[in-house]
Amino acid sequence: MTSVLYDAPGPKAKRRNIIFSVVFVALLALLAWWVWQVLDDKGQLEWALWKPFTEGAAWTTYLLPGLGNTLKAAALAMVIALPLGAIFGIARLSDHRWVRGPAGAVVEFFRAIPVLLLMLFANEFYARSTDISSEVRPLYAVVTGLVLYNASVLAEVVRAGILALPKGQTEAAQAIGLRKGQTMTTILLPQAVTVMLPAIVSQLVVIVKDTALGGALLNYSELVSARGTLAANYANVIPSFIVVAIIFIIVNFILTSFASWLEARLRRSKRSTGAVLGAEKVEDLNAAEIGGSYGTGAEGKP
Amino acid sequence: MFDFLSDYDDPSLLGAFWVTVQLTVFSAIGSLVWGTLLAAMRVSPVPLMRGFGTAYVNIVRNIPLTVIIVFTSLGLADIFGVTMGAPDDFDLQGFRLAVLGLVAYTAAFVCEALRSGINTVPVGQAEAARALGLNFSQVLRLIVLPQAFRSVIGPLANVLIALTKNTTVAATIGVAEAALLMKEMIENEAQTVLIGAIFAFGFVVLTLPTGLFLGWLSKRLAVKR
């Protein structure tokens, strides 16, 4: 679509494009020059502030343990949220209203609440009502918050995945006399999981990003709070922010690339008959639309 | 049971949620404008602008919002001296910096939503517009974007709801909004569950009607093809 918005440039358009490019570059250069000037003024460009990142100590003391904790919380949250999400996703498709209703209410409730509130609540709740030691409490709180939120998002993903399967699958299973539970576990769920894999992997990006909340407000020692202690030690605010941002970008870029590779592979192999839930679909999940847009597998194209 | 609420008047419960609403509204307007500009760049004929748009979206989407917001305070304000027109009023400065961070982050998602909306406009329409002699900005402004906006109200509603929830991150730089008040209350008072329920209810009240209204609107305005 994007290339049909304009014609192949002729001589005049080519000239105009070059002018636009030059103006745009000039603006960007002006911004970069200002940034450079300020950084230079404040002494943020001095090699002493960047040097720690070329040596081992900054990495082994601060950044790598921080990254380790970020990934630990994300992995734990994913491992716990997946089965929970599957259960709630299936429960929402139940034939019994007393199962469908409460499951739907729980999912919608936890999707409507900010993860940060869930984490704050869990942290205080664990402090008062359990004897979890204060050293691991932030981890528990962060994982609890992430699990509650992401399980409800994954429940929607699972539901969408199952609804995306052709109706004939269920009908055929019924025709050979399988019960509802058997249909779900042997026919629908295995196919839905392959359909959902890219969406599930890309949900990991959201989880990795959300662990940063625990560092900022619950003193969970993940990458963002590790940056704080590192900057307090070396007085390198800007360099530490840049390095930490780059680490997050790399980790999430790997996850995103993996998800789209998986999506392309699943589309090619066509082992499942349903549509493949793309990596970018998770954020677009809208309860009302699931039946329509995923059922047809029409990727928003007319 | 609700006695403790009267101990908090700066901000009060409603005051804190009012700040949350303001954060949401200002950031929503800002990110809609900046996101539309980014989307226009990403489909523009100038390769350099396309490259910038793509780079911006891919970089910003992968950085946690927390890092961006904390950076606006520790980096932009302290080092770059960006005071957002309020060098003396620390609260106002924090609020505006939070809006800046939220706009920078949310615009990337608005841009992607809009781009997917542009893809729903039939190719023939753009071709017909070009055949009439319209140039790129006319095709985009008159033909493609109006239809794209109508088809992405649903996805934009999700971005708006996510934004409403994301405003809680402003608590990390001390903006007196709902999450910060909840943190304070929950640490001082004994009614952990009650306080949690109050704030959860507040966010349900904020996000649920938005979702329902915009969902209704997106069905109403969808371009029937």
Side-chain angles (χ1 to χ4, degrees), chain A:
Chain A
M1 178 67 191
T2 54
S3 56
V4 297
L5 289 174
Y6 44 85
D7 283 304
K12 203 172 151 199
K14 267 186 188 147
R15 232 175 305 137
R16 207 170 46 225
N17 284 355
I18 289 171
I19 294 174
F20 274 129
S21 302
V22 169
V23 172
F24 193 66
V25 167
L27 285 176
L28 282 185
L30 212 64
L31 184 72
W33 181 76
W34 175 71
V35 169
W36 188 265
Q37 230 31 42
V38 174
L39 288 183
D40 204 25
D41 270 4
K42 305 272 175 178
Q44 288 292 321
L45 293 174
E46 279 164 34
W47 177 239
L49 302 185
W50 293 88
K51 197 160 164 265
F53 299 113
T54 62
E55 293 163 353
W59 291 92
T60 49
T61 325
Y62 304 104
L63 295 174
L64 289 181
L67 180 63
N69 280 338
T70 293
L71 297 179
K72 186 165 90 180
L76 272 174
M78 196 57 172
V79 168
I80 303 172
L82 245 178
L84 253 173
I87 291 171
F88 273 97
I90 294 169
R92 284 201 78 172
L93 291 168
S94 165
D95 289 338
H96 309 289
R97 185 178 291 161
W98 58 271
V99 177
R100 205 183 337 137
V106 168
V107 168
E108 291 301 331
F109 178 73
F110 285 112
R111 256 159 42 107
I113 298 173
V115 188
L116 182 56
L117 292 198
L118 294 173
M119 286 182 188
L120 288 173
F121 178 80
N123 192 38
E124 208 56 35
F125 184 78
Y126 287 148
R128 297 197 177 180
S129 313
T130 60
D131 48 3
I132 296 169
S133 82
S134 58
E135 285 158 36
V136 292
R137 200 195 307 135
L139 172 67
Y140 275 65
V142 167
V143 171
T144 308
L146 290 175
V147 163
L148 290 177
Y149 175 69
N150 289 291
S152 50
V153 173
L154 288 173
E156 292 296 88
V157 175
V158 170
R159 194 162 79 104
I162 291 174
L163 286 176
L165 295 172
K167 207 159 176 277
Q169 300 274 341
T170 317
E171 287 165 355
Q174 280 167 350
I176 57 171
L178 293 186
R179 277 180 279 113
K180 269 192 300 186
Q182 288 174 316
T183 312
M184 187 57 82
T185 49
T186 60
I187 310 281
L188 297 180
L189 207 53
Q191 294 188 71
V193 165
T194 33
V195 166
M196 295 170 325
L197 264 181
I200 291 172
V201 173
S202 69
Q203 184 64 17
L204 264 172
V205 174
V206 179
I207 299 184
V208 166
K209 288 197 292 182
D210 279 350
T211 54
L213 286 169
L217 280 165
L218 300 182
N219 298 323
Y220 177 54
S221 55
E222 48 69 70
L223 199 48
V224 177
S225 68
R227 186 216 66 79
T229 30
L230 178 119
N233 201 15
Y234 296 104
N236 51 356
V237 177
I238 300 282
S240 64
F241 263 113
I242 293 175
V243 169
V244 164
I246 291 174
I247 296 175
F248 270 114
I249 292 169
I250 291 173
V251 170
N252 289 336
F253 180 76
I254 292 171
L255 288 173
T256 317
S257 313
F258 179 58
S260 36
W261 173 81
L262 209 59
E263 191 184 340
R265 207 191 130 93
L266 288 176
R267 269 192 212 295
R268 208 173 48 229
S269 68
K270 290 226 167 163
R271 252 191 303 161
S272 110
T273 36
V276 178
L277 280 191
E280 280 157 13
K281 288 292 175 206
V282 177
E283 280 144 19
D284 303 341
L285 278 180
N286 193 335
E289 290 171 5
I290 286 170
S293 62
Y294 295 114
T296 55
E299 304 279 25
K301 290 196 181 75

